């Protein structure tokens, strides 16, 4: 029999923690199963920091592990963040003490999900993490619950609001990467360490979790191929636009006969495609199943209100539902997926070169591509002021990554080529 009042311990009182405290103070009886969810213990880095919400009536803990194992809480909510350190110690301690855990921590679940699932299942308690992926947009429940009657073959989307904000603002305003990153930080989208966002790691954590749920395997973050947006040039954003594309940071997980490919890359998406038209800090995701076909969801991936709503939905599940396996099958049966080899990864590409303005350059480039077996789909040479050379852009037909890398290495060595060619993938969605 569920307790009438669920006593909740919350570790981390940042944006999401503050949003959760406010929501539960106003709506403790929100859960469909009935009962009340009341925060009875909190911990954070600083007790005295000024906060918009009054915590004076809630027991304060200096140590997250002490809160996680306190006999005075029934459910532990972890909003500290980080794959290791206090977040991991507290979640492990809560599970070992038999407390249900709700977390928004994508790094923790992506990097240690299988071992935490084993702890949760040994204790017979839920470990839920809806808020870890796409903030307030319910991607985890979609895969974990709504899609279990289907065989998911792939997911692809925009999972990092900071990167999407930066790319769409650079495109719309012609603003520099550094200026827009500063704005994203001021608006509260960016992680404490923005490298996690712009380096692609945050999106990789999220898509690693989605892959585990989609394919019923252990999260395998080490196998994710990760490229961020820090090398995306305004010049490429402009040239891609001329070719009918927008650049987006696309995170994808595909199951093929060769294994699973989990990837994060800045990619060209055709204008008019729902992912190309997803602007600002919004997140969006396609899920493809063999029977349901394609589903598209779009919504806020960050922010106090939306992310706290996702945490609250998990709290309601703890109060309502029987426990189910964390990653779609018992933890003891989970295996990491086999990653697809580069020779088997095939896709269309955008290559941008900067060359000297002299006769024979284009012939030398196309000859090299032909020797490598790369077939050109379109070609654009466009004088651009202050580019430091003449930009040449070409798109290829589908080609193995290993062949493309060989071609890039050879083109880079041509005497008229001024820098290493820039490669961007053309999204297959
Ligand atoms: N920093 C993340 C983003 C928000 O920009 O999407 C929370 O995951």
């Amino acid at each position: 029999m569920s307790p009438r009042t669920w006593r909740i311990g919350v570790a981390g009182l940042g944006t999401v923690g503050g949003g959760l405290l406010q929501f539960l103070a106003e709506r403790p009886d929100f859960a469909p199963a009935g009962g009340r969810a009341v925060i009875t213990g909190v911990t954070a880095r600083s007790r005295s920091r000024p906060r918009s919400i009054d915590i004076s009536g809630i027991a304060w803990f200096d140590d997250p592990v002490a809160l996680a194992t306190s006999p005075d809480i029934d459910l532990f909510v972890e909003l500290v963040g980080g794959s290791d350190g206090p977040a991991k110690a507290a979640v492990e301690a809560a599970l070992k003490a038999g407390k249900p855990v709700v977390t928004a921590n994508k790094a923790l679940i992506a990097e240690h999900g299988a071992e935490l699932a084993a702890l949760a299942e040994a204790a017979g308690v839920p470990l839920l993490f809806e808020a870890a992926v796409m903030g307030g947009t319910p991607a985890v429940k979609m895969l974990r619950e709504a899609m279990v009657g289907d065989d998911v073959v792939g997911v692809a989307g925009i999972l990092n609001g900071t990167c999407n904000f930066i790319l769409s603002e650079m495109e719309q305003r012609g603003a520099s990467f550094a200026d827009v990153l500063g704005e994203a930080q001021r608006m509260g989208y960016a992680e404490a360490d923005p490298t996690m966002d712009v380096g692609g790691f945050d999106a990789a954590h999220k898509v690693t979790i989605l892959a585990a749920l989609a394919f019923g395997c252990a999260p395998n973050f080490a196998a994710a191929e990760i490229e961020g947006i820090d090398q995306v040039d305004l010049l490429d954003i402009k040239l891609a636009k001329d070719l009918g594309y927008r650049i987006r940071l696309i995170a994808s997980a595909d199951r093929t006969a060769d294994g699973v490919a989990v990837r994060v890359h800045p990619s060209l998406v055709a204008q008019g495609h729902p992912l190309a038209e997803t602007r600002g800090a919004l997140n969006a995701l396609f899920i493809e199943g063999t029977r349901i076909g394609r589903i598209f969801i779009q919504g806020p991936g960050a922010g106090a209100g939306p992310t706290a709503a996702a945490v609250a939905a998990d709290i309601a599940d703890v109060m309502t539902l029987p426990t189910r396996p964390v990653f779609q099958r018992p933890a003891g049966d989970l295996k990491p997926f086999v990653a697809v080899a580069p020779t088997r990864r095939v896709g269309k590409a955008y290559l941008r070169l900067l060359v000297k303005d002299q006769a024979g350059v284009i012939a030398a480039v196309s000859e090299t591509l032909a020797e490598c077996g790369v077939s050109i789909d379109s070609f654009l040479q466009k004088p651009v002021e202050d580019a430091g050379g003449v930009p040449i852009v070409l798109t290829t037909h589908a080609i193995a990554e290993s062949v493309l890398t060989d071609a890039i290495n050879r083109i880079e060595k041509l005497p008229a080529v001024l820098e290493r060619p820039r490669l961007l993938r053309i999204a297959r969605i």
Side-chain angles (χ1 to χ4, degrees):
M1 180 80 179
S2 304
R4 177 79 189 137
T5 294
W6 284 77
R7 300 165 304 166
I8 297 174
V10 178
L13 295 176
T15 309
V16 183
L20 184 68
L21 256 66
Q22 187 169 346
F23 174 69
L24 291 185
E26 290 163 8
R27 299 272 313 279
D29 55 356
F30 78 101
R36 288 162 54 80
V38 178
I39 295 178
T40 52
V42 289
T43 179
R45 226 169 295 153
S46 155
R47 185 174 189 172
S48 54
R49 192 185 131 185
R51 296 192 161 86
S52 56
I53 185 108
D54 179 19
I55 57 165
S56 57
I58 305 174
W60 176 268
F61 288 73
D62 288 323
D63 175 13
V65 170
L67 173 62
T69 54
S70 164
D72 297 329
I73 67 157
D74 306 307
L75 190 168
F76 179 60
V77 176
E78 186 274 306
L79 304 173
V80 174
S83 60
D84 293 274
K88 180 165 181 266
V91 167
E92 284 172 345
L95 295 173
K96 284 180 186 161
K99 313 267 188 202
V101 170
V102 171
T103 176
N105 189 334
K106 55 251 160 173
L108 178 71
I109 299 298
E111 296 187 34
H112 303 292
E115 57 200 82
L116 296 175
L119 286 180
E121 288 173 33
V125 293
L127 166 61
L128 300 177
F129 42 84
E130 180 60 62
V133 184
M134 294 182 79
T137 309
V140 170
K141 289 192 201 307
M142 182 83 88
L143 285 167
R144 175 184 266 161
E145 296 165 28
M147 300 290 289
V148 288
D150 202 353
D151 292 310
V152 177
V153 288
V155 298
I158 293 169
L159 302 182
N160 185 272
T162 300
C163 289
N164 208 57
F165 176 78
I166 292 173
L167 292 172
S168 38
E169 289 294 302
M170 283 173 78
E171 182 194 318
Q172 275 167 2
R173 295 178 5 216
S176 76
F177 175 85
D179 285 352
V180 192
L181 172 60
E183 277 174 53
Q185 286 175 299
R186 283 192 291 280
M187 291 164 98
Y189 308 137
E191 296 298 303
D193 171 6
T195 316
M196 293 303 288
D197 295 300
V198 299
F201 305 105
D202 177 82
H205 282 138
K206 293 167 178 169
V207 75
T208 294
I209 296 172
L210 294 182
L213 293 167
F215 310 133
C217 51
N220 190 2
F221 180 65
E225 203 183 314
I226 308 170
E227 185 188 349
I229 63 161
D230 33 2
Q231 299 301 314
V232 174
D233 211 307
L234 201 49
L235 177 62
D236 292 308
I237 292 181
K238 287 181 184 151
L239 292 169
K241 198 172 171 188
D242 290 345
L243 287 167
Y245 296 98
R246 299 188 204 290
I247 298 179
R248 294 287 180 261
L249 185 69
I250 300 297
S252 63
D254 292 292
R255 185 163 51 102
T256 69
D258 298 313
V260 170
V262 173
R263 319 179 70 187
V264 177
H265 288 296
S267 308
L268 272 64
V269 185
Q271 289 168 21
H273 187 285
L275 294 180
E277 304 313 322
T278 297
R279 293 166 201 252
L282 277 180
N283 283 197
L285 182 74
F286 278 97
I287 302 174
E288 184 160 357
T290 53
R291 289 184 285 287
I292 297 175
R294 299 184 108 200
I295 291 172
F296 178 64
I297 52 174
Q298 185 188 59
T307 312
V311 172
D314 277 348
I315 292 173
D317 276 358
V318 174
M319 295 168 72
T320 310
L321 292 172
T323 302
R324 52 198 297 163
V326 177
F327 295 107
Q328 311 296 52
R329 61 184 67 188
D333 296 345
L334 288 173
K335 293 188 179 54
F337 60 76
V338 177
V340 179
T343 47
R344 308 291 297 174
R345 287 198 298 256
V346 174
K348 295 182 177 184
Y350 158 109
L351 284 183
R352 196 260 298 160
L353 284 60
L354 207 55
V355 300
K356 291 181 194 160
D357 194 1
Q358 64 186 39
V361 182
I362 290 176
V365 169
S366 32
E367 209 171 289
T368 309
L369 287 167
E371 281 165 15
C372 295
V374 178
S375 166
I376 298 172
D377 186 25
S378 69
F379 198 96
L380 173 74
Q381 179 184 344
K382 197 168 181 190
V384 174
E385 266 180 49
D386 305 328
V390 179
I392 294 177
V393 176
L394 53 95
T395 61
T396 73
H397 289 291
I399 185 80
E401 292 250 324
S402 45
V403 174
L404 203 55
T405 308
D406 178 41
I408 290 170
N409 291 339
R410 290 174 61 173
I411 291 171
E412 186 182 7
K413 294 196 186 100
L414 295 173
V417 172
L418 296 167
E419 60 176 31
R420 185 169 173 79
R422 295 287 175 93
L423 162 68
L424 292 165
R425 276 88 181 164
I426 300 180
R428 271 187 306 139
I429 29 181

